[in-house]
Amino acid sequence: MKNSTKLLSVDNHNDYLELKTDGANFRIYLLDENIIRIRATFDDEFSPEESYALVKTAWPDRTDEFMKDERTRVEPIKIDLQKADDGHYTVTNGKYTLHIYDDPFYLEIVDQNGHVVHKDLPKRPYVEDDNGRRIHYSQMGDHEKFYGFGEKSGVLNKYKRRMRMHNTDSLGWDAKRSDPLYKMIPFYIDFNTDDNIASGMFYNNSNDSVFDMDCEHSNYWLRYSYFETDGGELDAFFIGGPTIKDVVEHYTDLTGKSAMMSMSSLGYMGSTMFYSELEEGDDKAILDFVDTCKKNQIPCDGFFLSSGYVVDEETQKRFFFRWNKRRFPNPQEFVDDLKDRGALLAPNVKPGILEKHPDNEDLSNRDAFIKDHDGQDDQVNQYWGGPANFIDFTNPAGRKAWTYYLTKSLLKYGITSIWNDNNEYETVDGSAQINMEGHKDRKMDDVRPLMSTIMAKVAQNAVHEYDANARPYVINRAGFAGIQRYAQTWAGDNNTSWDSLKYNIPTILGMGLSGVANQGCDIGGFFGPLPEPELLVRWVQNGIFQPRFSIHSANTDNTVTEPYMYPNYTKYIAQAIQLRYQLVPYFYSLLYEAHTTGAPIMRPLVYEFQDDPNVSEESFEFMLGHSLLVANVVDKGQTEKQVYLPQGSHWIDLHTNQRYAGGQTITIPVDMGAIPMFMRSGAVIPRALGLTNIHQQTIKNLDVLIEPTQDADFTLYEDDGETMAYQKGAQLLTHITAQAQQDGVKIAFQRQGNYQTKVEVMNLSVYCPQMAPINVTVDGVQLHRFLKKDDYESADEGWWFDGETRQAKVHYRNPQNADYNVDLEFTMKDLISIQ
């Protein structure tokens, strides 16, 4: 065993600091004022720099050519090495100071206020055990709140958890206990509730690893947590805060922001394995599904096509890139028929190519496959359907071959949505040789979760190569840190149960805190029996708030889960999905926020209300963006629901319009149609009332719900929703602010961008809890006040006060000028005084 107990030497290279100890050697980079890199190796030399996860570096990297379209090379903060009076060394990036202690050796990071935000475990900070595993021990102090870790089961806070980092095909996983799952993101947030300070730690290591957050105890040491990896270096990036929001933003500065998907990706996506496994008529069954949704007033914008579409008639094996012409006689006609119905098609593809596949030999000749341990032959391992070879996405030849087959079999039909499935590479031997951009010096165990991430980038690039103006919609099951840059993701094949409905919520919230803002779980459960009516309704009512919204199933009782399958309950499901579509402008703006800042779309309460000590353990209530608290019914048979409303805001029940003070738990009645939602004070929610298809309808009437008793602030994002024109400036940001003043409310609209909005009519619904306005003006022009709702609704412009909701309803033609104000005057009108 090697243990770093003493500092032997310090060498300042200006761009980085080099440390030698009696165990590991270190390189320390001050990447920026929020990120400190601490790279440790127990080998004689550091490995070559090679990362598919980082988009921000300060050093040359083997992957720079492949990543050149998204990587930024920065100058690190220069090292100013200081020696303290007691002999230890310090360096600072301006916001954080790194203390380097010599005997015993350990590192400590302190913020500007003197708070210790990270400390190695003295006398056992960095260890290589006798099995070659490398371990970083951190002293915990009194910390008991840890969030993130990527895709994990159970509650939000992972204190007292021991979690494995590994990609696995977890069919029917237990939402409370299963570990590991499909994705591997070795990043976490440490929230110190005593000092109200958050920080993060990301380990850029794609070998199998383990996090232990105070499960293990030893009488010889103070409380500790640790990261243990089976191989590679201990390449740790400290991520500064001080808020959880800051940590997530800075972490995604390092690993990338979420891809800007098409607006239609936020619609309801139908899916089931059942329809693509019929003996024939599969295309008609899917078209009928879309038609039946429409007949039941259920909006639908796409269909995820399971892999049955490539089943070979003779062998009954899945031969990707070859359509089953009995099930789908005319793929082009099928794709076009779906488009005519306002629905995209996202076909399923998998990276394992069966040995019996007719194109296997061609792919081998193109050097597309991972090689065996000596690099001579294609690696063969078990896959779904039998022995298979696997695409090596670290190989330029493999990427080129995959792009060729995607194009000839899918993209040529106008398909721009690719569903990457079963891409964990779980069964591939760890000793198999990978290409690693031509260097051929890495094994499968070093890069397993990276394969699925690169696969998503290749799909994205392939769509762009075929149609430079098309906006790719890529869906991935597996991935590593940075997968958010390319794909919408989902948590694989969940089990059909009430536990899955409930505990899938913190799984998605944890992914959001791990940089993956665009995530979801199969609604209704993928694996298990048909969900009972109540469970399906509650699952849909919860699922409409997930960025990825799809009902998907492979039921174990010869059934198929469909949104209209229980006629007596269809109205509840239709109403919920209609609500989802009303919120599309809000969702799309949140997606843009994720794309530019890394902010999650579904957010744990602690993300928005870090100052409230009552929310740090909350796993099942969540915020949708900044403005909307959701407290869904997720337990069977409930007739009333307890809801905690965080401190720092007032809250409006959007069902009853009742107003509550924050910092209390309330009890509300719930029936089968209940979707408990609460709007916070100082909130803005843009809506598209009446929207039923994103592909076919243009949002010409925008309804903006505003709560102005606290200063409100929201940025509405608009573009064409489907092309890459937004990258060339064809986008519109409308910054909406609302401020309460002594005699009224001023609502300002400030526009930025070149995109010409399609919104023709603006409808404002402004909460007025104390009194109704006396006058409303738009851009200085007074609007007519209507006393009757019918007169208001039939007029082109004007306003009306709705006493039931206590909202001032205002509508007007959307001004063409860049900036304008809407002013609500609250001067009391004197009706009885005699002058």
Side-chain angles (χ1 to χ4, degrees):
M1 183 178 77
K2 297 178 182 178
N3 186 7
S4 301
T5 60
K6 292 184 180 180
L7 178 66
L8 303 180
S9 66
V10 180
D11 191 4
N12 186 357
H13 292 264
N14 202 23
D15 281 350
Y16 66 92
L17 192 67
E18 190 154 20
L19 311 177
K20 294 186 182 298
T21 75
D22 56 349
N25 295 326
F26 297 81
R27 285 180 179 172
I28 295 171
Y29 293 82
L30 306 178
L31 190 58
D32 60 30
E33 65 176 6
N34 300 303
I35 302 174
I36 299 174
R37 183 189 189 190
I38 302 168
R39 187 183 182 198
T41 183
F42 287 90
D43 300 326
D44 293 337
E45 296 182 356
F46 285 92
S47 299
E49 296 277 11
E50 50 188 23
S51 175
Y52 294 96
L54 304 180
V55 297
K56 184 176 185 178
T57 63
W59 45 83
D61 189 289
R62 283 179 171 182
T63 66
D64 279 342
E65 177 62 25
F66 179 56
M67 298 282 289
K68 63 184 178 182
D69 60 329
E70 53 182 332
R71 176 167 288 161
T72 300
R73 179 88 168 267
V74 301
E75 288 290 329
I77 295 173
K78 303 304 181 184
I79 301 291
D80 180 15
L81 184 65
Q82 300 291 323
K83 196 167 187 178
D85 292 341
D86 63 359
H88 82 273
Y89 295 95
T90 65
V91 295
T92 181
N93 64 0
K95 288 179 65 175
Y96 296 94
T97 299
L98 175 69
H99 296 263
I100 305 165
Y101 292 90
D102 56 355
D103 189 6
F105 170 76
Y106 66 94
L107 304 177
E108 179 183 75
I109 300 175
V110 178
D111 71 8
Q112 291 171 302
N113 298 313
H115 299 118
V116 175
V117 290
H118 171 77
K119 183 178 182 179
D120 295 337
L121 185 64
K123 299 184 180 180
R124 191 167 71 161
Y126 299 86
V127 174
E128 181 181 58
D129 70 13
D130 293 334
N131 294 312
R133 294 174 297 201
R134 284 82 186 267
I135 311 163
H136 177 207
Y137 290 91
S138 299
Q139 186 168 305
M140 289 181 61
D142 296 325
H143 297 195
E144 295 184 351
K145 303 292 185 293
F146 300 96
Y147 311 122
F149 303 95
E151 192 171 73
K152 292 298 173 185
S153 63
V155 296
L156 181 70
N157 182 14
K158 299 302 189 285
Y159 174 59
K160 293 292 186 183
R161 285 283 301 271
R162 191 173 193 272
M163 295 158 288
R164 186 183 179 203
M165 294 284 128
H166 176 74
N167 299 72
T168 186
D169 185 338
S170 306
L171 177 66
W173 55 281
D174 185 315
K176 294 174 71 173
R177 300 178 182 85
S178 287
D179 183 69
L181 298 177
Y182 303 86
K183 297 169 195 69
M184 175 178 168
I185 303 179
F187 165 76
Y188 70 90
I189 297 172
D190 179 348
F191 179 33
N192 178 345
T193 53
D194 290 337
D195 298 324
N196 196 22
I197 295 172
S199 60
M201 191 70 75
F202 168 57
Y203 292 90
N204 189 25
N205 184 311
S206 50
N207 287 265
D208 281 6
S209 54
V210 168
F211 281 100
D212 187 303
M213 310 313 290
D214 199 36
C215 278
E216 180 178 299
H217 289 264
S218 170
N219 190 45
Y220 292 95
W221 312 97
L222 297 173
R223 295 173 63 218
Y224 58 84
S225 63
Y226 66 78
F227 171 80
E228 172 189 283
T229 178
D230 289 350
E233 297 175 347
L234 292 170
D235 191 7
F237 289 77
F238 167 82
I239 313 292
T243 69
I244 294 172
K245 287 184 181 181
D246 293 332
V247 175
V248 175
E249 180 169 2
H250 300 153
Y251 167 70
T252 53
D253 286 342
L254 183 68
T255 62
K257 312 298 182 184
S258 290
M260 193 65 204
M261 299 288 181
S262 62
M263 183 184 287
S264 59
S265 70
L266 297 170
Y268 165 47
M269 299 294 152
S271 186
T272 176
M273 286 192 69
F274 192 87
Y275 288 167
S276 63
E277 300 288 344
L278 301 172
E279 291 301 316
E280 59 184 352
D282 303 58
D283 53 350
K284 292 181 175 58
I286 293 170
L287 295 172
D288 182 66
F289 168 84
V290 176
D291 292 341
T292 306
C293 283
K294 186 174 182 179
K295 290 176 183 177
N296 285 279
Q297 290 78 53
I298 297 172
C300 180
D301 266 87
F303 196 88
F304 292 160
L305 183 62
S306 292
S307 57
Y309 79 100
V310 296
V311 168
D312 177 64
E313 286 291 325
E314 181 180 346
T315 65
Q316 292 300 297
K317 301 295 185 181
R318 284 162 168 77
F319 292 161
F320 286 93
F321 312 120
R322 290 174 174 254
W323 289 74
N324 181 312
K325 291 301 181 69
R326 187 153 67 91
R327 298 178 180 184
F328 297 89
N330 189 327
Q332 184 68 72
E333 184 177 296
F334 172 56
V335 172
D336 291 344
D337 285 346
L338 273 176
K339 285 184 178 179
D340 289 342
R341 289 164 167 79
L344 62 82
L345 184 70
N348 182 289
V349 294
K350 309 180 193 298
I353 306 299
L354 298 177
E355 285 191 311
K356 294 182 178 181
H357 194 301
D359 297 318
N360 184 286
E361 183 178 355
D362 181 64
L363 283 161
S364 178
N365 291 336
R366 292 171 182 264
D367 193 26
F369 295 135
I370 294 169
K371 302 300 182 183
D372 61 13
H373 70 282
D374 59 10
Q376 297 302 308
D377 299 313
D378 295 334
Q379 176 70 33
V380 180
N381 284 106
Q382 182 64 28
Y383 198 56
W384 192 17
N389 306 114
F390 295 82
I391 302 295
D392 185 352
F393 288 105
T394 73
N395 186 349
R399 298 193 290 261
K400 183 178 180 180
W402 189 254
T403 299
Y404 168 78
Y405 276 96
L406 281 180
T407 302
K408 68 173 285 193
S409 66
L410 299 176
L411 305 186
K412 72 176 184 180
Y413 296 123
I415 293 170
T416 58
S417 304
I418 302 297
W419 174 14
N420 293 325
D421 199 8
N422 295 83
N423 55 351
E424 293 77 28
Y425 283 73
E426 179 184 3
T427 61
V428 181
D429 285 358
S431 62
Q433 184 187 100
I434 65 163
N435 182 271
M436 198 60 218
E437 307 303 323
H439 296 279
K440 302 180 181 179
D441 58 354
R442 289 291 178 267
K443 302 300 183 182
M444 189 65 211
D445 273 345
D446 297 324
V447 300
R448 195 178 306 274
L450 293 170
M451 284 294 180
S452 50
T453 305
I454 307 170
M455 183 183 183
K457 180 176 173 64
V458 172
Q460 189 184 77
N461 289 347
V463 172
H464 280 153
E465 287 179 23
Y466 187 77
D467 182 353
N469 200 38
R471 197 183 308 187
Y473 175 25
V474 180
I475 307 98
N476 247 50
R477 192 170 79 171
F480 187 67
I483 184 60
Q484 67 270 10
R485 304 193 302 264
Y486 316 120
Q488 181 187 77
T489 62
W490 93 107
D493 302 335
N494 57 351
N495 186 52
T496 303
S497 68
W498 283 92
D499 275 349
S500 290
L501 161 60
K502 186 172 185 176
Y503 284 87
N504 283 171
I505 297 172
T507 295
I508 296 171
L509 297 179
M511 282 290 279
L513 293 182
S514 304
V516 185
N518 196 345
Q519 164 86 350
C521 294
D522 285 340
I523 307 306
F526 177 81
F527 185 76
L530 187 70
E532 61 184 292
E534 183 188 0
L535 176 55
L536 180 60
V537 169
R538 295 306 190 196
W539 217 323
V540 171
Q541 290 170 339
N542 183 65
I544 62 170
F545 300 105
Q546 298 177 14
R548 176 205 182 257
F549 175 47
S550 178
I551 300 171
H552 183 39
S553 66
N555 295 341
T556 57
D557 56 1
N558 296 324
T559 60
V560 55
T561 305
E562 298 159 320
Y564 45 76
M565 62 185 303
Y566 295 120
N568 291 331
Y569 294 83
T570 299
K571 65 178 180 180
Y572 300 118
I573 290 174
Q575 289 166 0
I577 300 178
Q578 289 164 13
L579 174 60
R580 162 73 169 217
Y581 274 67
Q582 291 177 15
L583 291 171
V584 161
Y586 185 54
F587 266 105
Y588 199 51
S589 298
L590 295 178
L591 180 59
Y592 180 76
E593 185 180 358
H595 178 63
T596 52
T597 72
I601 296 174
M602 277 178 59
R603 306 171 181 178
L605 298 190
V606 70
Y607 179 92
E608 286 289 336
F609 299 96
Q610 183 172 316
D611 294 338
D612 186 342
N614 299 311
V615 302
S616 60
E617 296 282 353
E618 178 55 53
S619 296
F620 308 114
E621 292 181 25
F622 59 89
M623 297 295 294
L624 185 68
H626 169 83
S627 297
L628 190 61
L629 184 150
V630 181
N632 283 113
V633 179
V634 291
D635 293 300
K636 185 176 181 178
Q638 282 192 290
T639 57
E640 60 180 25
K641 171 83 176 178
Q642 285 194 328
V643 180
Y644 179 73
L645 302 173
Q647 300 174 13
S649 291
H650 283 79
W651 298 91
I652 298 173
D653 184 332
L654 290 182
H655 176 62
T656 65
N657 287 293
Q658 184 170 346
R659 183 178 292 265
Y660 298 94
Q664 64 171 320
T665 298
I666 63 171
T667 301
I668 59 172
V670 292
D671 56 19
M672 188 58 69
I675 305 177
M677 297 180 294
F678 298 82
M679 184 178 184
R680 72 190 291 182
S681 49
V684 177
I685 303 176
R687 303 177 295 180
L689 306 183
L691 181 66
T692 59
N693 188 273
I694 301 169
H695 282 105
Q696 295 180 330
Q697 292 175 273
T698 299
I699 300 173
K700 295 183 178 180
N701 287 267
L702 189 71
D703 186 280
V704 184
L705 190 61
I706 301 173
E707 205 296 334
T709 59
Q710 288 183 323
D711 288 351
D713 188 343
F714 185 79
T715 299
L716 172 70
Y717 177 76
E718 298 173 80
D719 62 20
D720 65 20
E722 60 182 11
T723 75
M724 300 303 296
Y726 75 97
Q727 290 190 338
K728 300 176 182 179
Q731 57 179 244
L732 182 66
L733 301 173
T734 302
H735 193 55
I736 305 171
T737 58
Q739 292 182 319
Q741 300 178 331
Q742 186 173 2
D743 58 351
V745 171
K746 179 179 289 296
I747 305 169
F749 295 81
Q750 296 178 304
R751 292 169 173 160
Q752 178 184 356
N754 297 323
Y755 178 71
Q756 181 61 51
T757 180
K758 299 299 188 293
V759 175
E760 298 175 357
V761 176
M762 294 290 292
N763 303 277
L764 308 186
S765 299
V766 185
Y767 279 98
C768 305
Q770 301 301 324
M771 68 169 63
I774 190 65
N775 287 309
V776 175
T777 61
V778 176
D779 209 17
V781 178
Q782 186 169 315
L783 294 184
H784 179 74
R785 177 177 185 171
F786 292 91
L787 300 180
K788 292 190 294 186
K789 179 181 179 182
D790 291 345
D791 293 341
Y792 163 75
E793 291 180 342
S794 62
D796 290 337
E797 292 190 326
W799 70 278
W800 168 73
F801 185 72
D802 183 345
E804 186 174 352
T805 63
R806 295 210 62 85
Q807 293 174 1
K809 301 284 190 177
V810 184
H811 67 216
Y812 52 91
R813 304 296 297 178
N814 196 12
Q816 296 301 305
N817 49 312
D819 301 335
Y820 69 94
N821 295 330
V822 176
D823 293 286
L824 281 65
E825 181 187 346
F826 287 96
T827 304
M828 181 65 185
K829 184 173 183 179
D830 190 345
L831 298 177
I832 59 175
S833 295
I834 299 174
Q835 298 297 329

